[in-house]
Amino acid sequence: MQSAFEFRGYTRVIARALVETMVPRWPGFEPELTEPVLQRLEATLSAQPRAVQTLIVAGLWGLEVSGPVFGHGLGRLSAVDRDERDRRLTAIAHSSVPTFRQGILLYQTLVNLCAYSMPEVERFLGANRREWRNDRQRLRALLVQLDDPARTPGTPEALGSHGVLTPAAYIEFGAAERVAEAVASSASPAADANPVTPAVSPVAPARPRPARPRRRTATERTATDRTASDRTERS
Amino acid sequence: MVMHRTDAPRLIIPEAGPGEWVLDCDVVVVGSGAGGAAAAATLAESGLEVLCLEEGGYHPTAEYSADIAQMLGRILRNGGATAIMGRAPVPYLEGRCVGGSTVVNGGMCWRTPERVLDVWSRAYGLEAFSARRLEPLFEEVERTINARYQDPGSEGPNNDAFKLGADRLGWRLSKNRRNQVHCVGSNDCVTGCPTGAKQSTLTTWLPRLYANGGAVVTHCKVERILRSGGRVVGVSGRVVDQGFERRFSVRARAVVISGGAVQTPILLLRNGIQVRSGAVGRNFTIHPNVKMAALFDHPVAVRGAHQAWQCIEFEHEGILMAPGLIPLAFQSVAFNDFGPRLAQRMRDHEYIATGGILVDDHAAGRVQVMPFGIPLIRYDVTDEDQRRFVLGASYLATLFFEAGAREVYTPFHHFPRLRSPDDIPRLKAAMPKVQDTEYFTAHLMGTCRMHADHRQGALSPDGQVWDHPGLYVADAASMPGTIGVNPQVTIMAIARHIGLRLGERLRRRAAA
């Protein structure tokens, strides 16, 4: 494991101000994202070399005292209110000097990646990747099962081509169950207490595939018929 | 030897112990990605004792979590925060785990175009790389990694929208073959396929290595290339990320470096290994690409395969276009914005299609090692390539609008949004500068190029570093130049070629 990285002292104050400005906010979205995103940012930076960590910290201090350089006034970045910080950072992000723009781009990329991968945000935006991944795991388990030569023809075929699911329904596999689960969980206070699906859940048992009559090959017909006639002779 | 064997056979995770960990084998391969795994498996199948050293850890499918930030730190070098410096910084991704970049790539399987192989065989003197002679190697690679088309229905609406636009324009599409078995469109390629559908080297070449007596050792960062009597005789380094300090060394009859087009030249140069032509670290090509997005009236995103098609209509101009479905968090960084403004836009995320433009670049960057071993990776996008990016952006915007897009978002800082097809001529006229463009790449190549003439290349046609007996390179660095398509099949075919030749040579030497 890499050594844990964390913003310390006044650097943390600056980093918190930056993150608070950059995290998404929506009317009706309750969770406060600043502190969790800041912690995820620190965890992300832990995987990076010391030179990058140092660069990030130095850049934060540069932004903190950048007011006079960009004509934003003498106030430090972390000392002004959120709207003013947003105005300042946006101005730098659209600077005519590429280096300044790219600096902001680095921070906004890191913050956006951390923020928009949070389960709360994904759920709020209707992109619950955790449930989606579970659905996909079940679907693939079913497909692999279909490939089992003992059960089906040896040639792998797409699920859609069997008529089990149409291509249009393929991508929506499990959607009905997702809706049902969402309704059930919204009705249950206990479910709300821990609404996050485990990051990786075991593959659920595949649903049995509806039987589909298959034409026998010539070899199979011969073998089966011979067995039947043998039995007849023995009896 | 102190080791801990995992459930995966022949996979060794180092443990703490006294003194240096000393190992012996016939061939030591540094890296377990597309090049390293293919070379290692080939050498093991030749009857040689092969040890494959990997700097990263072993992360099987069950460990691929939905937490993107966590996964980036786990399987990518520097958590994905790597960039090439130049006129504009170009972020790039490099896998750092058992399986290397094959764990995090999109799984596209393209053979090296014949026009490229023709140049390699004629201009570089690489007779073994003619299309005819590589044919069986390509076939074998494709069979090994299960290169096949998506199951019908799994493509998803992002790919469908792209296809619709191309079909309406009458532009030629090429259906992607990908190394997958029943990819179900999880849209999580870059953080490790959560269903096991992607056939990375974890499930293809490495099992072949294990089956033939080879082994992979994780968490081993190679720092030194050992030499004796004018020959390379092994490598040494230290165990990393395991919470203890320990050095290791491996003695071998041959050393194969497969760290990729950035790490391989860095390792060689840090060890003072350069060839007379000075080609180690030079001829760095990166297939730069840019991302674009488009807002539709119907849902097009989130679910489906990463990339099922490529538009080859403008291949002759060195421009390749493709859809590129990405998870929500990556979609958020496609826009140059943050805070509430971005939040507002991301409410429409399901209606935002994403795609990219790849340019067959003409520039040559360089990987250098500065004093104190600090790497400097430099590449300048040329004005000519930029012209093709702008042209490609106009093509892709046309395609998106034709498919029904309401708005198209560009990677150009001063021209971020096209509101209608009428804006496209203005984009072309504006010709955004290199410094005002956001690039990205995952295809790094050519920093130890093969060439039959030792005055012009870093490697012999057999993959040996010129003037350094016993030292081989088998990865994207070996490629003589840019290929214009996704490179994993090419890398594996080259590694297989090098492995076959080296295996034959070592067996003959042993017999003699």
Side-chain angles (χ1 to χ4, degrees):
Chain A
M1 289 289 119
Q2 283 87 5
S3 59
F5 171 85
E6 60 180 36
F7 295 112
R8 295 170 196 273
Y10 191 70
T11 305
R12 190 173 178 83
V13 174
I14 308 170
R16 197 176 194 289
L18 181 96
V19 170
E20 186 189 35
T21 315
M22 289 187 162
V23 292
R25 296 186 293 280
W26 297 276
F29 179 72
E30 296 296 334
E32 171 52 49
L33 292 177
T34 303
E35 192 56 34
V37 169
L38 184 58
Q39 286 172 12
R40 285 165 78 90
L41 180 60
E42 289 173 323
T44 302
L45 290 173
S46 297
Q48 290 163 12
R50 199 171 296 273
V52 174
Q53 294 170 352
T54 306
L55 189 73
I56 294 283
V57 170
L60 284 175
W61 279 91
L63 286 173
E64 175 72 351
V65 296
S66 64
V69 178
F70 291 98
H72 297 151
L74 292 173
R76 288 171 285 114
L77 185 74
S78 61
V80 297
D81 65 29
R82 192 165 63 188
D83 290 341
E84 173 61 14
R85 286 199 299 270
D86 183 79
R87 196 180 65 76
R88 288 186 180 192
L89 293 173
T90 303
I92 301 172
H94 292 93
S95 161
S96 58
V97 181
T99 308
F100 294 145
R101 288 203 307 264
Q102 286 149 7
I104 296 295
L105 187 66
L106 174 62
Y107 291 108
Q108 82 184 27
T109 300
L110 289 168
V111 172
N112 287 343
L113 270 178
C114 292
Y116 284 91
S117 60
M118 294 192 68
E120 300 94 318
V121 172
E122 289 176 347
R123 245 195 335 272
F124 180 78
L125 291 173
N128 194 335
R129 291 175 54 251
R130 285 145 180 84
E131 284 183 12
W132 171 246
R133 287 162 63 102
N134 293 343
D135 282 347
R136 295 293 98 179
Q137 287 169 339
R138 283 174 42 224
L139 174 56
R140 184 162 187 276
L142 178 58
L143 288 165
V144 171
Q145 191 183 37
L146 286 172
D147 276 349
D148 184 347
R151 289 168 171 265
T152 56
T155 306
E157 289 183 61
L159 192 59
S161 63
H162 283 291
V164 177
L165 286 180
T166 64
Y170 192 108
I171 286 297
E172 290 305 317
F173 179 86
E177 290 165 31
R178 279 200 302 279
V179 171
E181 283 169 13
V183 170
S185 67
S186 64
S188 159
D192 284 337
N194 183 20
V196 181
T197 311
V200 174
S201 64
V203 176
R207 292 186 298 193
R209 171 178 170 249
R212 187 174 70 93
R214 179 169 68 88
R215 288 187 64 186
R216 291 177 301 168
T217 63
T219 316
E220 285 173 327
R221 273 198 298 275
T222 310
T224 315
D225 295 345
R226 190 181 301 123
T227 308
S229 61
D230 287 347
R231 281 193 196 121
T232 310
E233 280 178 17
R234 276 199 294 275
S235 66
Chain B
M1 185 192 300
V2 180
M3 65 176 72
H4 166 67
R5 289 181 187 275
T6 67
D7 290 340
R10 314 285 296 170
L11 188 87
I12 300 164
I13 298 174
E15 288 187 346
E20 186 181 62
W21 188 19
V22 180
L23 300 159
D24 274 297
C25 60
D26 288 323
V27 185
V28 58
V29 179
V30 181
S32 63
T42 304
L43 288 159
E45 286 167 353
S46 300
L48 298 163
E49 193 182 354
V50 180
L51 211 50
C52 186
L53 305 180
E54 169 57 50
E55 183 183 345
Y58 171 63
H59 303 290
T61 301
E63 287 186 20
Y64 300 151
S65 84
D67 187 333
I68 287 178
Q70 181 194 53
M71 285 309 300
L72 292 180
R74 192 179 285 175
I75 61 180
L76 288 173
R77 182 171 300 283
N78 299 348
T82 40
I84 300 160
M85 308 319 284
R87 294 172 75 187
V90 184
Y92 69 95
L93 296 181
E94 215 178 29
R96 183 179 175 270
C97 54
V98 176
S101 293
T102 65
V103 173
V104 299
N105 69 11
M108 268 61 76
C109 295
W110 294 94
R111 294 185 181 190
T112 325
E114 284 195 22
R115 62 181 164 78
V116 174
L117 292 176
D118 194 48
V119 172
W120 289 4
S121 58
R122 290 171 194 273
Y124 292 81
L126 303 173
E127 292 169 7
F129 291 115
S130 66
R132 188 179 57 80
R133 293 184 65 178
L134 273 187
E135 173 82 18
L137 283 185
F138 284 140
E139 278 179 10
E140 192 182 13
V141 166
E142 288 163 352
R143 199 166 49 245
T144 302
I145 65 174
N146 291 291
R148 55 173 75 174
Y149 299 117
Q150 289 289 134
D151 289 350
S154 65
E155 296 91 345
N158 192 68
N159 283 294
D160 293 345
F162 185 91
K163 184 176 186 305
L164 178 67
D167 286 346
R168 284 181 175 168
L169 290 160
W171 289 353
R172 286 175 301 139
L173 284 175
S174 182
K175 200 172 184 179
N176 275 351
R177 283 202 293 173
R178 303 174 64 224
N179 52 320
Q180 50 83 28
V181 176
H182 295 315
C183 163
V184 284
S186 306
N187 185 22
D188 259 335
C189 288
V190 77
T191 49
C193 179
T195 67
K198 181 158 66 179
Q199 302 289 286
S200 69
T201 62
L202 284 178
T203 57
T204 54
W205 291 107
L206 292 178
R208 282 173 66 162
L209 168 69
Y210 303 147
N212 287 279
V216 174
V217 190
T218 65
H219 301 100
C220 286
K221 182 173 175 58
V222 172
E223 295 174 327
R224 291 279 167 266
I225 294 172
L226 308 175
R227 283 168 278 192
S228 175
R231 280 190 65 83
V232 168
V233 295
V235 295
S236 70
R238 62 192 165 88
V239 174
V240 292
D241 300 340
Q242 288 295 82
F244 58 84
E245 296 286 327
R246 191 161 193 210
R247 293 200 65 80
F248 68 87
S249 67
V250 183
R251 294 271 164 177
R253 292 162 63 197
V255 172
V256 179
I257 309 293
S258 302
V262 170
Q263 300 307 318
T264 289
I266 287 175
L267 177 61
L268 297 184
L269 293 170
R270 278 180 176 161
N271 281 274
I273 292 176
Q274 181 55 281
V275 292
R276 270 181 271 181
S277 65
V280 173
R282 292 183 186 271
N283 310 303
F284 182 41
T285 60
I286 66 169
H287 276 178
N289 63 69
V290 296
K291 299 236 174 298
M292 288 178 68
L295 181 65
F296 283 78
D297 287 325
H298 55 89
V300 286
V302 183
R303 290 161 187 171
H306 172 62
Q307 188 183 108
W309 310 96
Q310 290 190 347
C311 178
I312 54 171
E313 183 69 20
F314 307 101
E315 199 182 14
H316 61 285
E317 297 178 57
I319 298 170
L320 209 57
M321 298 187 293
L325 186 61
I326 44 180
L328 179 74
F330 291 102
Q331 204 185 51
S332 74
V333 300
F335 301 100
N336 184 14
D337 217 336
F338 55 81
R341 288 182 305 276
L342 178 64
Q344 188 58 33
R345 184 172 290 172
M346 290 304 290
R347 293 205 81 149
D348 292 330
H349 75 97
E350 274 190 281
Y351 299 84
I352 296 171
T354 42
I357 301 152
L358 186 150
V359 159
D360 192 5
D361 50 334
H362 288 82
R366 190 172 176 188
V367 176
Q368 290 172 275
V369 171
M370 309 305 284
F372 306 108
I374 297 168
L376 176 63
I377 309 162
R378 194 173 170 86
Y379 179 94
D380 291 318
V381 177
T382 65
D383 289 336
E384 168 56 21
D385 287 341
Q386 178 66 2
R387 188 192 64 76
R388 290 191 291 164
F389 273 120
V390 176
L391 193 60
S394 73
Y395 293 149
L396 188 52
T398 303
L399 185 151
F400 277 142
F401 280 124
E402 197 64 35
R406 275 197 283 143
E407 286 184 346
V408 172
Y409 307 101
T410 81
F412 306 118
H413 183 75
H414 298 304
F415 221 106
R417 184 186 302 197
L418 306 176
R419 293 177 192 278
S420 77
D422 296 339
D423 286 342
I424 295 173
R426 293 200 292 117
L427 168 67
K428 287 163 77 175
M431 192 53 69
K433 294 177 184 168
V434 169
Q435 294 86 341
D436 298 331
T437 307
E438 285 172 31
Y439 305 94
F440 172 79
T441 186
H443 302 169
L444 312 171
M445 297 166 278
T447 44
C448 294
R449 74 174 177 194
M450 287 189 190
H451 203 299
D453 184 347
H454 72 280
R455 291 166 301 183
Q456 297 190 56
L459 308 180
S460 73
D462 289 347
Q464 186 196 296
V465 180
W466 282 114
D467 306 326
H468 292 83
L471 181 61
Y472 294 77
V473 172
D475 58 23
S478 323
M479 290 158 68
T482 178
I483 58 172
V485 294
N486 310 65
Q488 77 168 340
V489 168
T490 303
I491 296 168
M492 289 174 182
I494 289 178
R496 179 91 177 143
H497 159 83
I498 292 170
L500 287 169
R501 296 280 182 97
L502 175 58
E504 182 63 24
R505 182 182 295 185
L506 292 178
R507 269 188 311 175
R508 261 197 235 142
R509 196 180 297 159

